[in-house]
Amino acid sequence: MLLLFAFSGALAQNRHRATENDYSVAVTFNEGRGFSTPDGDASLDIGEVSQAASVPGGRGGLSKPSYTILRQFRVQITRRGGGRGQVSLSAYLQRECLNCKLRLDGIELSSAPRVILADVPLNAITNHRLEIEISKQAPPGALDAAIEWEVSGK
Amino acid sequence: MRIQKLMLAVLATAIVLSTSAFAATSSGTLTVTGTVESSISLTIESAGGTTSGTGTAAATSALGSISKYGSAPTGFTLARGASNWTLSSTVGVKVDKANLTSTDYTLTAQLGSAPASGVTWKLNGSTLSDSAATTLTSTGTYGSTGSYSWDIVVADSAAAAAIDNAIDFTATSN
């Protein structure tokens, strides 16, 4: 009898904790063709890019083995159903870019999650930088990658 | 024994349930798309005279006041002929490529406007005009600065006046 009460007590505590997909990450872009949906998925199209356009007029950048496209954006993490609290935000590549490297706030992304925000209050808006580094040796063509967000409650 | 096993199973389940709430949860995807385009870029790396903007696609060179019996501008040599005189230097041009399979390029040059009367502009020994481009090389090496001889030939009969002009370089991937 005692064990049964203890078991049901533990279940009751779990109902008040975050369940899977309880958080939403809203992404807003400062420029370019990007949008986000209420379910937390976002899309950014950087359009046609080239080294000549990214380093206009030369200015010493043409001799480097790669060039970088920069986009600024804002993130807001909310809990479905509202509420406050502290969370951490990590990111990893769900789909790798074959001929480019992606960096968030200077952190190079890979298939392993990397912490982007170690401790941030829910509902706060934070500013971030996405760098897309393209190798000059890469063939021309489509660029396609996907970044997955992970939010952990504190 | 049966009662003991049941107790262990229940406790293990409770522990699993209580710790699962702190695991990270997936909360959205940011998809990044685009199209990488081929490109080439041309920069003027060096030139005789007092230069500015070298290392970019738009450089300037100031020769100051020049005369047959004066001093050559910096970076130039002066040769006096029977009825004319020549200022000689070089121009360094570099072409870079990105996301392009081309192995070499063709470089041409053309004057921006008709030269002053009695003044001839030459690159690589070829006379430049403002009406048609002159080929400097058809086998240019990407990433390497090509050096082209640059001569300004002034006839003794030319009027004392400004000789300002522009040399427009065009690189085309082969």
Side-chain angles (χ1 to χ4, degrees), chain A residues 25-30 72-77 87 89 105 116-129 149:
Chain A
V25 179
V27 177
T28 306
F29 299 95
N30 295 2
Q72 311 273 5
F73 63 97
R74 297 184 295 278
V75 167
Q76 183 182 38
I77 305 169
V87 294
L89 176 69
D105 298 341
I116 305 301
L117 292 171
D119 188 6
V120 63
L122 283 169
N123 308 311
I125 296 175
T126 53
N127 294 301
H128 301 275
R129 184 178 77 253
W149 304 109

Side-chain angles (χ1 to χ4, degrees), chain A residues 3 14 17 21 41-42 44-49 52 57 59 62 67 135-136 138 140-141 143-145 147-149 151-152, chain B residues 7 10 17-18 21 24-39 41 43 55-57 96-99:
Chain A
L3 283 171
N14 289 339
R17 291 174 180 162
N21 292 327
D41 289 338
L44 172 66
D45 181 7
I46 62 174
E48 296 177 349
V49 296
R59 296 188 179 85
L62 296 173
Y67 54 100
S135 167
K136 286 169 59 174
L143 184 152
D144 183 27
I147 301 171
E148 191 76 14
W149 304 109
V151 179
S152 297
Chain B
M7 287 170 60
V10 168
L17 284 172
S18 65
T25 62
S26 178
S27 303
T29 304
L30 170 59
T31 301
V32 181
T33 57
T35 304
V36 176
E37 300 280 314
S38 299
S39 66
S41 299
T43 54
T56 76
D96 282 293
K97 67 168 183 173
N99 313 113

